[in-house]
Amino acid sequence: MALLEVESVVRSYGGVRAVDDVSVQIDAGEWVAVIGPNGAGKSTLFNLLGGQVKPNSGTVRLAGRNINRLEPHARYGLGVARSFQISSLFPDLTVREHLTLACREKHRWNLARTWRGDRELQARVDEMLDLWGLDRDRDHALPALLSYGEQRRLELALAVASKPRLLLLDEPNVGLTAAECDDLLARLRALGPDPAVVFVAHDMDMVLGWATRILVMHQGGLLADGPPEEIANNPFVEEVYLGATGTTTA
Ligand SMILES: Nc1ncnc2c1ncn2[C@@H]1O[C@H](COP(=O)(O)OP(=O)(O)OP(=O)(O)O)[C@@H](O)[C@H]1O
Ligand SMILES: [Mg+2]
């Protein structure tokens, strides 16, 4: 059984079929890029997986379980984590407070034991700070005092704090240099081989560098689905996708 099974999913807005009868299966450990021109339906598909939007018809299953009706927080509890393109950090919470909240879910049973529980929780936060290259000495800084790269790393750390089985990343490279993007990839790979990572990206260097498989969306539908070398040489994809990059915002 695939980790994620999307079956004939449709989501319309008025007369627009933002996602039009998409079926796809994704296994644990896959790194799947979702590409396509502006308005192709990439974000809507992500919202359907994360639970921010519900399908008009069709089914989304995680490890065989129908999760159509589950809200984002319930999906998070089952291992679906998501980062957003627009910063989702709270301006009044420190770096440590952000991570404490994110790590808390997994340690809830420990919190009942107060002091010991808190110590274990803070040890996990320290571990996350180190893993994501965030300075322990500056853990009381508010997000505004972090560099842009540090903010992105904190957001990713929050997304993976739950040890997700399915990680959804919406344009994780936006605003980063190529070196910072490579650094992010190395940190994500350190999560191990198990999580499936699905990401939206417009940068083809990044897509070809990260993905083991590429989904191409066009007008709500799935235009192509295959390994990077196959997609890169697909003339139809080139015409529809690369031909439209002039209007695409990175
Ligand atoms: N909340 C909404 N209300 C109305 N129309 C919407 C809504 N969300 C998406 N759409 C429409 O659905 C289509 C797909 O949009 P979507 O945002 O999924 O595209 P996208 O592939 O993410 O594009 P981009 O690359 O520009 O981010 C578009 O025509 C868009 O206008
Ligand atoms: Mg989008």
XYZ file of all heavy atoms in Angstrom, residues 137-227:
687
model
N 22.656 30.077 21.726
C 22.842 31.297 22.522
C 21.868 32.401 22.126
O 21.732 33.389 22.832
C 24.277 31.840 22.351
C 25.292 30.870 22.931
O 24.900 30.099 23.837
O 26.447 30.866 22.467
N 21.226 32.225 20.966
C 20.271 33.249 20.528
C 18.846 32.685 20.491
O 18.003 33.135 19.736
C 20.668 33.784 19.151
C 21.996 34.558 19.220
C 22.440 35.053 17.868
N 21.446 35.912 17.251
C 20.958 35.730 16.028
N 21.374 34.728 15.296
N 20.058 36.554 15.542
N 18.602 31.698 21.344
C 17.298 31.034 21.299
C 16.168 31.904 21.846
O 15.008 31.546 21.718
C 17.340 29.689 22.034
C 17.608 29.844 23.519
O 17.959 30.970 23.943
O 17.480 28.852 24.253
N 16.515 33.050 22.470
C 15.461 33.941 22.957
C 15.174 35.097 22.001
O 14.449 36.033 22.326
C 15.782 34.452 24.368
C 15.550 33.386 25.392
N 16.517 32.456 25.727
C 14.450 33.043 26.089
C 16.001 31.607 26.614
N 14.763 31.936 26.844
N 15.754 34.998 20.810
C 15.504 36.037 19.803
C 14.108 35.866 19.202
O 13.609 34.741 19.067
C 16.556 35.939 18.703
N 13.512 36.981 18.842
C 12.250 36.948 18.109
C 12.572 36.764 16.614
O 13.670 37.117 16.172
C 11.466 38.246 18.324
C 11.011 38.499 19.769
C 10.354 39.885 19.890
C 10.049 37.409 20.247
N 11.628 36.239 15.822
C 11.903 35.967 14.406
C 12.478 37.156 13.646
O 13.345 36.995 12.786
C 10.533 35.574 13.858
C 9.816 35.007 15.028
C 10.294 35.772 16.230
N 12.016 38.367 13.964
C 12.462 39.539 13.209
C 13.968 39.752 13.320
O 14.568 40.400 12.464
C 11.718 40.781 13.697
N 14.579 39.201 14.386
C 16.018 39.386 14.567
C 16.842 38.317 13.852
O 18.065 38.373 13.838
C 16.369 39.392 16.059
C 15.914 40.650 16.807
C 16.198 40.540 18.290
C 16.597 41.889 16.228
N 16.165 37.337 13.276
C 16.886 36.273 12.563
C 17.140 36.695 11.125
O 16.379 37.479 10.557
C 16.057 34.985 12.550
C 15.628 34.392 13.892
C 14.813 33.126 13.656
C 16.837 34.093 14.764
N 18.192 36.120 10.536
C 18.400 36.328 9.106
C 17.294 35.585 8.358
O 16.606 34.720 8.923
C 19.765 35.779 8.681
O 19.738 34.361 8.705
N 17.153 35.896 7.070
C 16.115 35.236 6.278
C 16.341 33.724 6.232
O 15.419 32.923 6.394
C 16.082 35.815 4.866
C 14.867 35.367 4.119
C 13.610 35.878 4.439
C 14.950 34.385 3.148
C 12.477 35.431 3.793
C 13.821 33.935 2.489
C 12.590 34.468 2.816
O 11.475 34.008 2.185
N 17.607 33.332 6.064
C 17.942 31.902 6.023
C 17.591 31.213 7.332
O 17.085 30.087 7.343
N 17.865 31.901 8.453
C 17.536 31.319 9.765
C 16.022 31.168 9.927
O 15.546 30.169 10.480
C 18.090 32.207 10.886
C 19.605 32.109 11.054
C 20.151 33.151 12.029
O 19.646 34.306 12.050
O 21.089 32.823 12.763
N 15.280 32.151 9.432
C 13.812 32.054 9.526
C 13.303 30.842 8.767
O 12.439 30.112 9.242
C 13.167 33.323 8.976
C 13.387 34.545 9.853
C 12.683 35.778 9.302
O 11.693 35.681 8.598
N 13.205 36.942 9.635
N 13.841 30.636 7.559
C 13.398 29.476 6.771
C 13.764 28.171 7.484
O 12.992 27.217 7.484
C 14.036 29.477 5.369
C 13.684 30.636 4.468
C 12.215 30.846 4.250
N 11.562 29.830 3.445
C 10.329 29.938 2.941
N 9.623 31.024 3.168
N 9.797 28.987 2.242
N 14.960 28.145 8.086
C 15.382 26.913 8.785
C 14.493 26.664 10.001
O 14.138 25.520 10.287
C 16.856 27.004 9.199
C 17.810 26.943 8.021
C 19.179 26.402 8.419
N 19.841 27.236 9.407
C 20.510 28.360 9.116
N 20.616 28.762 7.872
N 21.083 29.055 10.077
N 14.123 27.744 10.703
C 13.224 27.569 11.851
C 11.873 27.023 11.382
O 11.312 26.114 11.998
C 13.052 28.907 12.589
C 12.054 28.893 13.749
C 12.427 27.838 14.802
C 11.968 30.279 14.418
N 11.369 27.549 10.278
C 10.077 27.068 9.762
C 10.141 25.584 9.405
O 9.213 24.833 9.685
C 9.656 27.893 8.545
C 9.122 29.240 8.945
C 8.880 30.145 7.743
O 9.660 30.067 6.778
O 7.933 30.899 7.779
N 11.243 25.204 8.787
C 11.402 23.786 8.438
C 11.540 22.936 9.694
O 10.964 21.842 9.775
C 12.638 23.604 7.546
C 12.485 23.762 6.044
C 12.399 22.419 5.373
C 11.268 24.575 5.643
N 12.285 23.446 10.682
C 12.430 22.712 11.944
C 11.058 22.495 12.587
O 10.763 21.410 13.099
C 13.349 23.478 12.897
N 10.208 23.509 12.535
C 8.856 23.388 13.110
C 8.062 22.323 12.357
O 7.352 21.519 12.951
C 8.114 24.726 13.043
C 8.743 25.883 13.817
C 7.969 27.175 13.562
C 8.783 25.574 15.301
N 8.214 22.319 11.031
C 7.446 21.364 10.219
C 7.875 19.927 10.514
O 7.044 19.023 10.525
C 7.604 21.674 8.732
N 9.164 19.712 10.775
C 9.624 18.327 10.939
C 9.680 17.891 12.403
O 9.999 16.739 12.689
C 11.010 18.086 10.289
C 10.976 18.454 8.814
C 12.105 18.834 11.013
N 9.345 18.803 13.322
C 9.422 18.469 14.749
C 8.540 17.275 15.093
O 8.816 16.524 16.025
C 9.022 19.680 15.597
N 7.483 17.094 14.322
C 6.545 15.993 14.593
C 7.014 14.674 13.992
O 6.302 13.688 14.042
C 5.185 16.358 14.017
O 5.303 16.522 12.610
N 8.218 14.684 13.392
C 8.720 13.487 12.686
C 7.693 12.981 11.672
O 7.177 11.869 11.778
C 9.089 12.394 13.684
C 10.116 12.879 14.702
C 10.900 11.742 15.315
C 12.093 12.290 16.068
N 12.335 11.679 17.350
N 7.385 13.823 10.691
C 6.294 13.498 9.763
C 6.617 12.323 8.842
O 7.783 12.063 8.532
C 6.145 14.784 8.939
C 7.486 15.421 8.993
C 8.026 15.097 10.359
N 5.546 11.673 8.383
C 5.688 10.637 7.365
C 5.570 11.258 5.981
O 6.073 10.738 5.003
C 4.582 9.589 7.531
C 4.792 8.749 8.760
C 3.903 7.538 8.717
N 2.540 7.876 9.078
C 1.551 6.990 9.070
N 1.779 5.751 8.676
N 0.348 7.344 9.435
N 4.825 12.364 5.927
C 4.627 13.078 4.663
C 4.902 14.554 4.917
O 4.245 15.180 5.743
C 3.186 12.885 4.179
C 2.781 13.663 2.926
C 3.596 13.216 1.723
C 1.283 13.467 2.649
N 5.913 15.075 4.220
C 6.314 16.462 4.422
C 5.992 17.254 3.159
O 6.475 16.920 2.075
C 7.817 16.501 4.722
C 8.455 17.842 5.013
C 7.790 18.531 6.193
C 9.945 17.651 5.298
N 5.163 18.279 3.299
C 4.729 19.089 2.153
C 5.418 20.443 2.240
O 5.231 21.183 3.211
C 3.208 19.284 2.207
C 2.355 18.013 2.304
C 0.901 18.364 2.627
C 2.432 17.221 1.005
N 6.218 20.776 1.247
C 6.994 22.020 1.288
C 6.588 22.902 0.113
O 6.758 22.529 -1.053
C 8.492 21.718 1.203
C 9.046 20.729 2.239
C 10.515 20.427 1.956
C 8.882 21.284 3.646
N 6.069 24.065 0.436
C 5.615 24.967 -0.623
C 6.718 25.974 -0.927
O 6.962 26.890 -0.151
C 4.334 25.678 -0.168
C 3.494 26.104 -1.356
O 4.019 26.081 -2.487
O 2.333 26.466 -1.140
N 7.383 25.781 -2.038
C 8.494 26.640 -2.473
C 9.480 26.920 -1.334
O 9.684 28.074 -0.948
C 7.931 27.942 -3.060
C 6.953 27.642 -4.200
C 6.765 28.791 -5.160
O 7.681 29.621 -5.247
O 5.730 28.831 -5.821
N 10.131 25.854 -0.828
C 11.013 26.024 0.334
C 12.267 26.840 0.038
O 12.937 27.304 0.952
C 11.393 24.590 0.696
C 11.222 23.815 -0.561
C 10.075 24.464 -1.289
N 12.557 27.052 -1.241
C 13.805 27.735 -1.613
C 13.635 29.229 -1.837
O 14.615 29.923 -2.059
C 14.346 27.123 -2.904
C 13.386 27.333 -4.069
O 12.172 27.249 -3.883
N 13.903 27.630 -5.224
N 12.403 29.722 -1.775
C 12.192 31.134 -2.130
C 13.015 32.053 -1.224
O 12.993 31.924 -0.007
C 10.692 31.495 -2.050
C 10.490 32.998 -2.062
C 9.960 30.872 -3.220
N 13.780 32.932 -1.851
C 14.580 33.899 -1.096
C 15.924 33.372 -0.643
O 16.711 34.106 -0.057
N 16.217 32.097 -0.900
C 17.492 31.536 -0.459
C 18.509 31.547 -1.601
O 18.138 31.428 -2.772
C 17.311 30.091 0.015
C 16.372 29.857 1.203
C 16.378 28.381 1.590
C 16.755 30.719 2.403
N 19.790 31.656 -1.232
C 20.839 31.505 -2.233
C 20.958 30.018 -2.586
O 20.422 29.160 -1.875
C 22.201 31.969 -1.680
O 22.547 31.101 -0.590
C 22.142 33.409 -1.186
N 21.680 29.719 -3.656
C 21.865 28.317 -4.063
C 22.555 27.536 -2.945
O 22.200 26.385 -2.670
C 22.675 28.259 -5.350
N 23.513 28.175 -2.265
C 24.236 27.487 -1.184
C 23.286 27.198 -0.012
O 23.332 26.119 0.584
C 25.414 28.339 -0.719
N 22.429 28.161 0.316
C 21.465 27.945 1.413
C 20.469 26.848 1.059
O 20.024 26.084 1.914
C 20.725 29.254 1.726
C 21.581 30.266 2.468
C 20.911 31.636 2.592
O 20.177 32.041 1.661
O 21.129 32.298 3.615
N 20.127 26.790 -0.232
C 19.202 25.767 -0.711
C 19.849 24.379 -0.573
O 19.207 23.421 -0.107
C 18.835 26.077 -2.158
S 17.499 25.101 -2.785
N 21.127 24.266 -0.922
C 21.853 22.996 -0.767
C 21.904 22.594 0.709
O 21.769 21.420 1.058
C 23.291 23.124 -1.299
C 23.319 23.224 -2.819
O 22.283 22.917 -3.453
O 24.371 23.616 -3.362
N 22.147 23.596 1.552
C 22.220 23.346 2.993
C 20.887 22.798 3.516
O 20.844 21.854 4.303
C 22.577 24.664 3.695
C 22.501 24.557 5.203
O 23.426 23.954 5.776
O 21.524 25.042 5.791
N 19.808 23.362 3.008
C 18.466 22.915 3.415
C 18.252 21.456 2.999
O 17.723 20.643 3.767
C 17.433 23.803 2.727
C 16.135 24.070 3.455
C 16.407 24.765 4.765
C 15.234 24.934 2.580
N 18.673 21.155 1.791
C 18.515 19.789 1.280
C 19.280 18.802 2.166
O 18.761 17.743 2.533
C 19.015 19.707 -0.168
C 19.012 18.320 -0.795
C 17.600 17.757 -0.849
C 19.606 18.354 -2.197
N 20.519 19.165 2.543
C 21.331 18.277 3.381
C 20.642 18.048 4.728
O 20.598 16.924 5.233
C 22.724 18.876 3.579
N 20.084 19.101 5.294
C 19.411 18.952 6.593
C 18.157 18.105 6.470
O 17.825 17.325 7.362
C 19.072 20.329 7.175
C 20.294 21.123 7.584
C 19.923 22.486 8.155
N 21.069 23.377 8.115
C 22.054 23.389 9.011
N 22.018 22.571 10.036
N 23.061 24.222 8.891
N 17.443 18.247 5.363
C 16.231 17.434 5.165
C 16.601 15.972 4.931
O 15.945 15.062 5.446
C 15.423 17.965 3.973
C 14.682 19.280 4.223
C 14.155 19.852 2.913
C 13.528 19.075 5.204
N 17.686 15.737 4.192
C 18.119 14.354 3.944
C 18.507 13.669 5.244
O 18.356 12.458 5.385
C 19.302 14.347 2.972
C 18.897 14.715 1.548
C 19.289 13.626 0.554
N 18.598 13.785 -0.725
C 19.150 14.318 -1.814
N 20.390 14.758 -1.776
N 18.451 14.398 -2.930
N 19.013 14.484 6.206
C 19.418 13.918 7.497
C 18.230 13.379 8.291
O 18.410 12.680 9.290
C 20.175 14.977 8.312
N 17.024 13.673 7.839
C 15.838 13.119 8.509
C 15.752 11.611 8.301
O 14.983 10.932 8.972
C 14.554 13.755 7.954
C 14.358 15.246 8.189
C 13.125 15.736 7.457
C 14.241 15.521 9.678
N 16.524 11.103 7.330
C 16.500 9.659 7.071
C 15.695 9.335 5.839
O 15.122 10.221 5.203
N 15.651 8.050 5.478
C 15.052 7.663 4.202
C 13.534 7.543 4.228
O 12.927 7.361 3.176
C 15.686 6.290 3.935
C 15.976 5.743 5.293
C 16.257 6.917 6.194
N 12.922 7.626 5.389
C 11.500 7.260 5.475
C 10.487 8.301 5.013
O 9.536 7.958 4.307
C 11.149 6.828 6.902
C 11.812 5.504 7.234
O 12.129 4.765 6.276
O 12.036 5.233 8.415
N 10.621 9.564 5.416
C 9.533 10.481 5.043
C 9.423 10.659 3.529
O 10.435 10.686 2.824
C 9.924 11.818 5.691
C 11.127 11.587 6.496
C 11.690 10.249 6.169
N 8.197 10.765 3.068
C 7.972 11.194 1.687
C 7.974 12.716 1.699
O 7.353 13.331 2.563
C 6.644 10.660 1.183
N 8.696 13.317 0.767
C 8.784 14.774 0.693
C 8.160 15.215 -0.629
O 8.568 14.740 -1.694
C 10.254 15.250 0.774
C 10.332 16.768 0.689
C 10.920 14.745 2.049
N 7.146 16.052 -0.544
C 6.497 16.571 -1.749
C 6.683 18.083 -1.724
O 6.375 18.729 -0.717
C 4.990 16.223 -1.779
C 4.366 16.667 -3.098
C 4.788 14.722 -1.585
N 7.231 18.633 -2.798
C 7.505 20.070 -2.788
C 7.103 20.734 -4.096
O 7.186 20.138 -5.168
C 8.985 20.353 -2.466
C 9.968 19.830 -3.473
C 10.512 20.671 -4.426
C 10.346 18.496 -3.469
C 11.428 20.202 -5.361
C 11.258 18.005 -4.399
C 11.799 18.857 -5.349
N 6.661 21.977 -3.963
C 6.381 22.808 -5.136
C 7.608 23.665 -5.385
O 8.171 24.241 -4.446
C 5.168 23.736 -4.891
C 5.003 24.717 -6.047
C 3.902 22.919 -4.707
N 8.044 23.751 -6.620
C 9.177 24.620 -6.944
C 9.079 25.069 -8.391
O 8.563 24.353 -9.250
C 10.495 23.896 -6.699
N 9.570 26.271 -8.637
C 9.635 26.784 -10.006
C 11.047 26.689 -10.561
O 11.249 26.749 -11.768
C 9.174 28.249 -10.046
C 7.699 28.408 -9.885
N 6.806 28.006 -10.840
C 6.953 28.910 -8.880
C 5.567 28.264 -10.440
N 5.632 28.814 -9.248
N 12.034 26.579 -9.655
C 13.436 26.576 -10.060
C 13.815 25.177 -10.543
O 13.885 24.220 -9.765
C 14.272 26.985 -8.831
C 15.760 26.996 -9.121
O 16.240 26.169 -9.933
O 16.454 27.818 -8.510
N 14.073 25.044 -11.856
C 14.313 23.712 -12.421
C 15.618 23.092 -11.924
O 15.718 21.872 -11.818
C 14.295 23.767 -13.959
C 12.902 23.881 -14.540
S 11.707 22.661 -13.881
C 12.154 21.200 -14.800
N 16.637 23.906 -11.588
C 17.863 23.341 -11.017
C 17.553 22.628 -9.716
O 18.017 21.523 -9.450
C 18.897 24.454 -10.748
C 19.529 24.926 -12.041
O 19.443 24.177 -13.039
O 20.087 26.037 -12.048
N 16.740 23.289 -8.910
C 16.376 22.687 -7.634
C 15.514 21.448 -7.848
O 15.721 20.402 -7.226
C 15.611 23.717 -6.801
C 15.201 23.163 -5.473
S 13.972 24.221 -4.731
C 13.364 23.120 -3.473
N 14.549 21.546 -8.750
C 13.663 20.414 -9.030
C 14.487 19.193 -9.442
O 14.328 18.094 -8.906
C 12.648 20.778 -10.137
C 11.935 19.540 -10.657
C 11.640 21.789 -9.607
N 15.411 19.402 -10.380
C 16.193 18.276 -10.884
C 17.195 17.780 -9.839
O 17.554 16.606 -9.820
C 16.908 18.664 -12.182
C 15.942 18.983 -13.338
C 16.694 19.525 -14.545
C 15.123 17.745 -13.742
N 17.629 18.674 -8.938
C 18.577 18.282 -7.902
C 17.933 17.542 -6.737
O 18.571 16.710 -6.100
N 16.688 17.830 -6.459
C 16.037 17.267 -5.267
C 15.157 16.061 -5.580
O 15.022 15.157 -4.771
C 15.130 18.311 -4.598
C 15.788 19.401 -3.842
C 16.937 20.058 -4.164
C 15.318 20.003 -2.622
N 17.204 21.029 -3.233
C 16.233 21.027 -2.276
C 14.209 19.798 -1.798
C 16.082 21.819 -1.139
C 14.049 20.592 -0.663
C 14.981 21.589 -0.336
N 14.495 16.080 -6.732
C 13.379 15.153 -6.943
C 13.820 13.785 -7.442
O 14.734 13.669 -8.262
C 12.391 15.763 -7.925
N 13.156 12.754 -6.971
C 13.291 11.425 -7.569
C 12.157 11.195 -8.562
O 12.178 10.247 -9.334
C 13.224 10.319 -6.492
O 11.989 10.430 -5.783
C 14.379 10.453 -5.509
N 11.188 12.105 -8.518
C 10.016 11.962 -9.380
C 9.395 13.349 -9.541
O 9.443 14.157 -8.616
C 9.039 11.029 -8.675
C 7.745 10.775 -9.377
C 6.953 9.797 -8.522
N 5.589 9.718 -8.928
C 4.633 9.156 -8.181
N 4.911 8.636 -7.008
N 3.401 9.125 -8.625
N 8.840 13.606 -10.708
C 8.245 14.925 -10.966
C 6.806 14.759 -11.435
O 6.518 13.946 -12.326
C 9.067 15.696 -12.032
C 10.508 15.906 -11.550
C 8.407 17.048 -12.334
C 11.410 16.585 -12.560
N 5.910 15.524 -10.830
C 4.522 15.612 -11.295
C 4.363 16.951 -11.994
O 4.721 17.987 -11.428
C 3.533 15.556 -10.128
C 3.617 14.386 -9.149
C 2.529 14.517 -8.084
C 3.474 13.062 -9.877
N 3.825 16.931 -13.203
C 3.603 18.180 -13.932
C 2.107 18.438 -13.978
O 1.343 17.607 -14.489
C 4.145 18.113 -15.369
C 4.016 19.478 -16.046
C 5.588 17.646 -15.379
N 1.694 19.582 -13.437
C 0.275 19.944 -13.482
C 0.040 20.996 -14.553
O 0.890 21.846 -14.827
C -0.192 20.473 -12.127
C -0.208 19.395 -11.048
S -1.105 19.933 -9.584
C -2.802 19.887 -10.187
N -1.161 20.911 -15.163
C -1.544 21.889 -16.175
C -3.058 21.965 -16.175
O -3.726 20.943 -16.305
C -1.015 21.444 -17.547
C -1.362 22.376 -18.658
N -1.056 23.719 -18.624
C -1.983 22.160 -19.835
C -1.481 24.283 -19.734
N -2.058 23.373 -20.484
N -3.577 23.173 -15.990
C -5.023 23.389 -15.979
C -5.749 22.401 -15.074
O -6.775 21.834 -15.437
C -5.570 23.320 -17.405
C -4.996 24.445 -18.270
C -5.493 24.426 -19.701
O -6.140 23.474 -20.144
N -5.180 25.489 -20.431
N -5.190 22.192 -13.882
C -5.847 21.360 -12.879
C -5.563 19.885 -12.992
O -5.802 19.131 -12.044
N -5.091 19.447 -14.150
C -4.860 18.016 -14.362
C -3.397 17.648 -14.231
O -2.516 18.519 -14.178
N -3.155 16.343 -14.184
C -1.788 15.847 -14.142
C -1.347 15.582 -15.572
O -1.848 14.675 -16.226
C -1.772 14.545 -13.327
C -0.521 14.219 -12.547
C -0.101 15.368 -11.662
C -0.773 12.974 -11.713
N -0.407 16.403 -16.040
C 0.037 16.308 -17.432
C 1.079 15.209 -17.619
O 1.132 14.556 -18.649
C 0.623 17.660 -17.839
C 1.158 17.802 -19.242
C 0.004 17.904 -20.215
C 2.037 19.040 -19.345
N 1.927 15.046 -16.612
C 2.989 14.037 -16.703
C 3.422 13.652 -15.298
O 3.275 14.425 -14.353
C 4.177 14.580 -17.489
N 3.956 12.438 -15.186
C 4.383 11.898 -13.896
C 5.504 10.917 -14.193
O 5.273 9.909 -14.862
C 3.180 11.191 -13.242
C 3.553 10.436 -11.968
O 4.731 10.452 -11.572
O 2.632 9.833 -11.372
N 6.721 11.234 -13.762
C 7.808 10.313 -14.055
C 9.113 10.756 -13.437
O 9.183 11.796 -12.770
N 10.180 9.984 -13.678
C 11.499 10.346 -13.158
C 12.023 11.603 -13.857
O 11.628 11.884 -14.999
C 12.365 9.125 -13.463
C 11.634 8.359 -14.503
C 10.191 8.702 -14.400
